[in-house]
Amino acid sequence: MSGAPASDSMMPSAAPSNGIQEEKKEDAVPVSAVAMKLLDMRLKPSSAILASCIGEYTKEKAQEVVVAKSSGVLELYEIHAGEDGSVSLKLIQRLETHSILRGLVNVRLTGEKRDLVAVTCDAGSISIVDFTQTAKTNVVTFGKTGCRRSTPGQYLCADPKGRAVMVSAVEKRKLVYVLNHATGKTNIASPLEAHRARNITYDTCGVDNGYENPVFACIEIQYPEEDADTANKNKQLAYYELDLGLNHVSRKWATNVHPTACCVASLPGGQDGPGGVIIGMEDGISYHHPDLKNKVLICGIPRRALDSKSRGILVTKLTVHRQKKSKFFCLAQSEVGDVYKLSVDVSEDKVVTGMQLALLDTLPTANALNISKKGMLFVASEFGDHGLYQFERIELPDAPTNASSQITVNNIADWNTEMAVTSAKTFAPTTLKNLRKVYTLDSPTPTTGVLVGELAGNEVSPQIYTLAGKGPSASLRILRHGASVTELAVSELPGIPGGIFTIPHDESDENVGLSKYIVVSFADATLVLSVGDTVEEVGQESRFKTDAPTLACSTLKGNGGLCQIYPDGLRQIKAGQLRNWECPGLKRVESASSNTCQALLALAGGEVIYFELDNLTGDLNEMVTRDMGADVCCLDVGTVPTGKSRSLFAAVGCRDQTVKIVSLEPGKFLTQKSSTALKSRPHSVKLQYPDNEKDDIIVMIGLDDGSSLRATVDPVTGAIGSSPTRRFLGARPVSVSRIPLEGRSSMLLLSSRPWISRLDQASGKHIMAPLSYAPLDHGCVFSSQAVKEGVVATAGKTLRIISVDTVGMEGGDDEAFNTNRVPLRYTPRQMTLLSASSADPTQRKVVLAVVESDYNDFGQEAKKSMGFDATGGEAGKKKGGKKGDDDEMEVDSDDEDAEAKKEEESDEESEDEEEKEARATPIRGPMPPQPGHWGSCIRLLDPSDSCRTLECIELNRNEAALCCTSVRFHTRGGESLLAVGTVTGMKMHPLKQTSSHVILYRVVNGDRLQLLHRTTIDDGPVMALAHFQGRLLVGIGKTLRLYEMGKRQLLRKCELRGLPTFVKTLQTAGDRAYFGDMMRSMHMIRYEASANRLILIASDPSPRPIVSQELLDWNTVAVGDKFGNICILRLPRGADTATLDMTGQRALWDSSRDSSTPKLEVLCQYYVGEIVTSMTRSSLVAGGADSLIYVTVTGRIGALVPFTSRDDVDFYSQLEGYLRVEAPRPTGRDPQSYRSYYAPVMHIVDGDLCSAFNALSHEKQAEIAEKLDRTVGEIMKKLEDTRNALL
């Protein structure tokens, strides 16, 4: 915050749960709204997919998927097949639209070999997106902005031949656009209207009728006029025909459909099939075609054996896939996730005579099902992870199958659940039988809670704990900033090493490029290990000098052999012969570097000696000696670029806090080209040559103060760039080494945490991400037959071989996070931390409590009694046997046969685990016949042990835990207890419950819960709990009540009645309570201990439906509402004192009048675009400044970062202003209008928009930089530094 005193900063160090010290009123300094400025930064993008389509968008015969995300982002993924046969989704392009996406459909124009995408959004426009190297869009506006029921855009469909698209509103309006392709651009003609008054649309699709006039099918119903007594209430299927000759749209044909019809899909027509459409409804699928007239063709779906026979199952999604030779098949999915294959019987004259529905598999409930031409199925899940599946078989002779011939119905309205149950085959859901999951796209949707803290106990940076998922896919996710690491092997060393190197095989070896030796340097010795099937120690046969430490070593090209540099000199090992070079006099080598043809040695006193390989003799010869003018502490000779004979430059770091670039060109050996001054002594330096010759060389410097410095070096002149990028990495000096990642050169930086620095080819940005691994001392590249790109490193007395997972490091503006998951039983509602005593009385243990509950679900005991198996009957038998020491590098065993058998069993077990993971699928439990059923549990986890479940308590039938908190009653001596708010038999519409309770538990020995007592609540559902001055404050419907601890139940102390609707969120600090109402925004309460009463001291006049809140300081609170807004509210100066009644004579009704209650001021206001479900005030780095971390229901993790200087405010405000004009608008939506969706944006800068600067053309970047009086590099560096300061 600029302009605010330090005492009034956004985030005090203490969390509100631990109490915030009350400021003295005479010292309070009011802060006006101008004083708070925040920057919204996206840490992890939203993962919820609203719609998706598959096609060939960038090149012919490609398998690519376009997804529309809830955050207004279009992403293009390629179905990428790896060399090892693995299949993955690779992100190719991301297009920010700054709008709410509503519809997405695939369009292939006549005669074209690539597909386009038509998109509708809240901008009141339709866009045609062409995914080339830079996405091109053609935008046509047709209506008002906003998601209005009468503005077209909610439904979008295209003619299968790509001639036209129809855009429909929920009510009345439909528009048809004719598409044509001319002069390399897609042209959109003027819209043709197909409006119909009082008409509600449910779904649309394009009908395939060959090359006849385009026809669109719509499921719709017409409601009566206000003064009409009767009306046709039948839901209908209507055909709208576009007459290309007359340029007119007419309603051609209509027929009644089932009242529960909700989705429609077109079958291939013309020369390829029978045409017509299929409609998904409750318990079945119906087929309709104008030629059938009034004939009804219905096929019921197979049903689960445990489902209630009185409850219908709705078919929610349909997709049709065309095969070769006019073949096709359809997939249908029900609301519980079961996927069916629909086969159609077609006569010789192309008339549908029958249908069969066979169970394929059970998958997560999807928003879209996309089938590729190569047998892949992409499932865009409604909740939970998205998946890419491979068809193993499509013919299902043994699957439960229903046929249309089993059903005879004269009127489609006669179809009901009773008929469906009578004719349906039954089944029990199992793991995947006909599909196999090959790739998972992470999606923590819905995310309901967030907690930030270093709870693992042995890590440097805090972790982010989120509650995610729904039902069987629910989980607690632990996110760590950085890339994940796979530990392949760990071995003990005889001492603490001082360095580690690898030597690859030479060019003449068949294993060229793979590591031949691992060289470990100690204080007075060198250990040489050979790399093969095992890693073994090599003695004198390596010819290395093993009685001295090694400073550098490498393989020399040609017949040069090997090179080893040690403190007394240099040794060349060539064809088993040794050539030694000794240091002159009493001098010793302090640091050294070598590559395949060059070596550079730094002697004590600042002398640098350069060696070069003679290509004819293969000898390493001394070329030149030069004094650097200061002691050298590190240097690097670089690598030999592809196509070059030598490295042209070397970097030398000196103790006078400078780094110099010297030339290695013949005739200019060790001539200084440039230098840069540092703020600390360099500890390590490395040069990184680019893969593209046109790019600059990168010099990476690790400093003694724990920070890194990255700068560019001109490949011609050797000049160091003027805008180096600095980043603090940890408390230890930074060591730098080169490693390859995905075939490209990268940097490994080691400090308190290991880091990776790499250049992203797509965005051209340098990415720095930490590794989620223990601190390492030394590291270098490692490659073998089993591990192509690995790292061998040392940590203490251990040698480790690891591999880095690059998933999440694709580039862009999103940070890399790796996730660990803890599966949960039900949808998580809330979590809280508790301090508990452990088995050791001298130590305190922190445990995590999570309450879970699911509506319309049975409890665990009820499911077991019904015979339901959530694992799909594939729980399997656990394999016995003790886990072997597979991670050991060297295993000595006399019994080779037993060892081989043990390894074989281990491989089989690993394959079984992989197969189980590929076959696993979330299976929803049986649907209760009536509403009001709940399944719920209370779970206790240990964060220090990978969040292992300590205890899970299942609640009674139909009792649901909705909230929890940690409370310390003074009468219990301050012991931390768990309070849980529950409801029994709660129904949603209307909201009512049988009873409510507050349950108290104590944590025994830090690993189990002990029930103390239950307190019955009669006034409404318990939705919020908070610790308050040694008591428990409970939000009960429209009442706020304070409880004291009793022996058998909680005791009422005081309460505040008559609150607007429901107390949804609750926090406390000092003698104040801050609660959010479900419909009437924020209220502030003060407790008067002398009078034992709660007094309302302020409220927000705007009726915000509060979802989440977080206390920022004594007078300031951040809130998120259900429309996707974040607001910062502050208590005005003097408002608290105005409510004091020193005389006690004020009338009670005088203080309760709404007009007399002070109003909260709005400091900041911002539309995120997604519902903010939870927020917390925390820092993501140890010792860093606090920010407001928030999560949204669709999985986005963001941070509101307070500005600390007026310069930052001016820079970002001006940059945002220019980008509002210059940034591309793929859908025509104005960024400022989008962020002001419900209220004008106030004092929060859009970080997503500012980051769009990096994607602009160089001309526009230069134009904006000139207006800001900065260079383009300075702006990019400023954006990067701001993000680095947060993480």
Side-chain angles (χ1 to χ4, degrees), residues 441-475:
L441 202 60
D442 184 68
S443 176
T445 308
T447 301
T448 56
V450 65
L451 182 67
V452 180
E454 206 298 281
L455 305 180
N458 56 356
E459 299 182 16
V460 178
S461 297
Q463 306 91 40
I464 301 177
Y465 296 81
T466 61
L467 301 176
K470 177 185 177 185
S473 61
S475 63

Side-chain angles (χ1 to χ4, degrees), residues 695-761:
D695 295 337
D696 289 339
I697 303 170
I698 300 298
V699 57
M700 184 68 75
I701 307 168
L703 304 179
D704 279 349
D705 63 359
S707 59
S708 68
L709 198 73
R710 188 187 74 244
T712 59
V713 177
D714 190 285
V716 178
T717 64
I720 298 178
S722 59
S723 300
T725 300
R726 183 187 181 97
R727 182 159 187 173
F728 180 76
L729 303 184
R732 290 161 48 176
V734 179
S735 175
V736 186
S737 59
R738 285 180 291 266
I739 64 170
L741 280 181
E742 294 183 334
R744 299 188 179 95
S745 181
S746 305
M747 294 284 191
L748 174 68
L749 300 94
L750 304 178
S751 182
S752 301
R753 296 181 69 183
W755 291 71
I756 289 291
S757 173
R758 59 181 296 203
L759 177 67
D760 179 58
Q761 296 295 324

Side-chain angles (χ1 to χ4, degrees), residues 649-661:
F649 300 101
V652 181
C654 302
R655 295 186 185 275
D656 61 355
Q657 299 185 5
T658 61
V659 168
K660 302 174 182 179
I661 302 298

Side-chain angles (χ1 to χ4, degrees), residues 432-512:
L432 301 179
K433 299 295 185 184
N434 306 301
L435 297 170
R436 191 176 190 275
K437 181 181 279 191
V438 295
Y439 188 77
T440 299
L441 202 60
D442 184 68
S443 176
T445 308
T447 301
T448 56
V450 65
L451 182 67
V452 180
E454 206 298 281
L455 305 180
N458 56 356
E459 299 182 16
V460 178
S461 297
Q463 306 91 40
I464 301 177
Y465 296 81
T466 61
L467 301 176
K470 177 185 177 185
S473 61
S475 63
L476 170 68
R477 305 198 179 200
I478 303 103
L479 285 81
R480 292 173 173 85
H481 177 220
S484 61
V485 171
T486 303
E487 187 176 82
L488 303 174
V490 179
S491 181
E492 292 293 328
L493 293 174
I496 298 178
I500 188 168
F501 313 91
T502 54
I503 295 180
H505 289 270
D506 56 30
E507 298 173 354
S508 61
D509 198 299
E510 61 179 4
N511 294 321
V512 59

Side-chain angles (χ1 to χ4, degrees), residues 600-614:
L600 202 61
L601 284 67
L603 306 183
E607 270 188 286
V608 174
I609 305 176
Y610 173 62
F611 292 80
E612 192 168 286
L613 184 71
D614 189 323

Side-chain angles (χ1 to χ4, degrees), residues 561-871:
L562 305 177
C563 167
Q564 179 193 13
I565 304 174
Y566 49 92
D568 291 331
L570 179 148
R571 172 176 291 188
Q572 183 180 3
I573 307 168
K574 184 174 67 170
Q577 303 297 319
L578 302 181
R579 291 184 70 249
N580 292 327
W581 175 90
E582 302 294 336
C583 293
L586 299 177
K587 293 185 177 181
R588 290 170 61 87
V589 180
E590 300 236 336
S591 58
S593 174
S594 63
N595 58 27
T596 57
C597 63
Q598 297 163 295
L600 202 61
L601 284 67
L603 306 183
E607 270 188 286
V608 174
I609 305 176
Y610 173 62
F611 292 80
E612 192 168 286
L613 184 71
D614 189 323
N615 293 328
L616 297 178
T617 64
D619 294 338
L620 201 58
N621 300 324
E622 180 181 352
M623 305 300 293
V624 67
T625 302
R626 188 175 298 274
D627 192 345
M628 289 289 105
D631 286 347
V632 176
C633 51
C634 59
L635 50 80
D636 181 53
V637 74
T639 58
V640 179
T642 304
K644 303 288 184 180
S645 60
R646 60 169 59 84
S647 171
L648 299 179
F649 300 101
V652 181
C654 302
R655 295 186 185 275
D656 61 355
Q657 299 185 5
T658 61
V659 168
K660 302 174 182 179
I661 302 298
V662 297
S663 173
L664 299 181
E665 294 183 43
K668 300 179 182 179
F669 289 137
L670 301 185
T671 302
Q672 181 174 326
K673 291 292 187 179
S674 61
S675 66
T676 182
L678 309 172
K679 295 182 179 180
S680 179
R681 182 186 300 172
H683 179 77
S684 178
V685 62
K686 285 291 184 290
L687 288 173
Q688 179 181 354
Y689 284 91
D691 298 326
N692 186 357
E693 295 182 1
K694 299 180 180 179
D695 295 337
D696 289 339
I697 303 170
I698 300 298
V699 57
M700 184 68 75
I701 307 168
L703 304 179
D704 279 349
D705 63 359
S707 59
S708 68
L709 198 73
R710 188 187 74 244
T712 59
V713 177
D714 190 285
V716 178
T717 64
I720 298 178
S722 59
S723 300
T725 300
R726 183 187 181 97
R727 182 159 187 173
F728 180 76
L729 303 184
R732 290 161 48 176
V734 179
S735 175
V736 186
S737 59
R738 285 180 291 266
I739 64 170
L741 280 181
E742 294 183 334
R744 299 188 179 95
S745 181
S746 305
M747 294 284 191
L748 174 68
L749 300 94
L750 304 178
S751 182
S752 301
R753 296 181 69 183
W755 291 71
I756 289 291
S757 173
R758 59 181 296 203
L759 177 67
D760 179 58
Q761 296 295 324
S763 62
K765 293 179 56 180
H766 277 273
I767 305 168
M768 284 196 70
L771 301 183
S772 294
Y773 196 65
L776 301 174
D777 301 327
H778 309 280
C780 66
V781 60
F782 175 82
S783 180
S784 67
Q785 293 287 356
V787 186
K788 296 300 183 183
E789 293 183 346
V791 175
V792 58
T794 64
K797 290 186 176 182
T798 60
L799 181 70
R800 303 163 186 254
I801 297 178
I802 60 176
S803 66
V804 180
D805 187 1
T806 58
V807 175
M809 297 178 62
E810 294 89 352
D813 300 307
D814 302 317
E815 293 294 332
F817 286 91
N818 68 90
T819 306
N820 293 330
R821 307 184 190 186
V822 178
L824 303 178
R825 188 176 296 173
Y826 305 105
T827 303
R829 303 292 175 174
Q830 204 169 6
M831 59 181 167
T832 187
L833 290 174
L834 296 99
S835 176
S837 59
S838 60
D840 186 356
T842 62
Q843 295 182 352
R844 301 290 293 177
K845 184 178 182 180
V846 176
V847 293
L848 183 65
V850 180
V851 293
E852 313 165 29
S853 58
D854 266 329
Y855 185 52
N856 273 345
D857 198 3
F858 290 107
Q860 189 77 356
E861 294 181 2
K863 290 179 182 177
K864 286 184 179 180
S865 64
M866 297 168 65
F868 173 73
D869 184 4
T871 63

Side-chain angles (χ1 to χ4, degrees), residues 1013-1201:
H1013 55 62
R1014 300 165 60 95
T1015 303
T1016 302
I1017 309 296
D1018 299 326
D1019 298 333
V1022 178
M1023 294 188 175
L1025 301 169
H1027 167 83
F1028 185 61
Q1029 294 189 344
R1031 297 174 179 174
L1032 180 63
L1033 191 61
V1034 184
I1036 310 164
K1038 298 183 180 181
T1039 303
L1040 200 61
R1041 186 175 296 162
L1042 189 62
Y1043 283 96
E1044 181 60 271
M1045 179 75 174
K1047 291 185 177 181
R1048 295 188 177 182
Q1049 65 175 17
L1050 295 174
L1051 307 175
R1052 299 187 189 186
K1053 303 309 285 185
C1054 68
E1055 64 182 19
L1056 182 64
R1057 289 180 171 272
L1059 301 179
T1061 56
F1062 285 94
V1063 177
K1064 181 65 174 66
T1065 58
L1066 182 61
Q1067 285 181 299
T1068 61
D1071 64 350
R1072 286 187 189 173
Y1074 311 77
F1075 75 88
D1077 190 85
M1078 191 174 284
M1079 294 299 295
R1080 299 295 300 181
S1081 195
M1082 282 301 302
H1083 298 74
M1084 290 189 181
I1085 304 294
R1086 188 180 68 246
Y1087 174 64
E1088 286 189 358
S1090 58
N1092 189 29
R1093 63 173 181 172
L1094 297 170
I1095 298 176
L1096 180 65
I1097 60 175
S1099 62
D1100 183 15
S1102 299
R1104 309 177 199 277
I1106 300 299
V1107 175
S1108 59
Q1109 73 173 62
E1110 177 64 16
L1111 196 57
L1112 304 184
D1113 60 33
W1114 180 249
N1115 294 317
T1116 313
V1117 63
V1119 299
D1121 63 32
K1122 74 173 185 179
F1123 297 121
N1125 299 294
I1126 283 184
C1127 301
I1128 311 293
L1129 305 174
R1130 171 160 287 183
L1131 183 70
R1133 180 175 55 179
D1136 194 8
T1137 58
T1139 60
L1140 291 176
D1141 183 13
M1142 304 303 295
T1143 64
Q1145 297 177 357
R1146 178 185 298 177
L1148 294 178
W1149 55 84
D1150 191 33
S1151 62
S1152 62
R1153 287 183 306 165
D1154 185 66
S1155 59
S1156 66
T1157 305
K1159 306 304 178 186
L1160 298 174
E1161 295 178 350
V1162 179
L1163 298 188
C1164 303
Q1165 204 158 238
Y1166 184 75
Y1167 177 67
V1168 178
E1170 305 154 67
I1171 301 175
V1172 177
T1173 54
S1174 183
M1175 54 181 74
T1176 183
R1177 189 194 61 213
S1178 183
S1179 171
L1180 295 179
V1181 293
D1186 280 355
S1187 301
L1188 183 64
I1189 312 298
Y1190 66 86
V1191 295
T1192 67
V1193 69
T1194 55
R1196 170 184 171 124
I1197 301 178
L1200 292 178
V1201 183

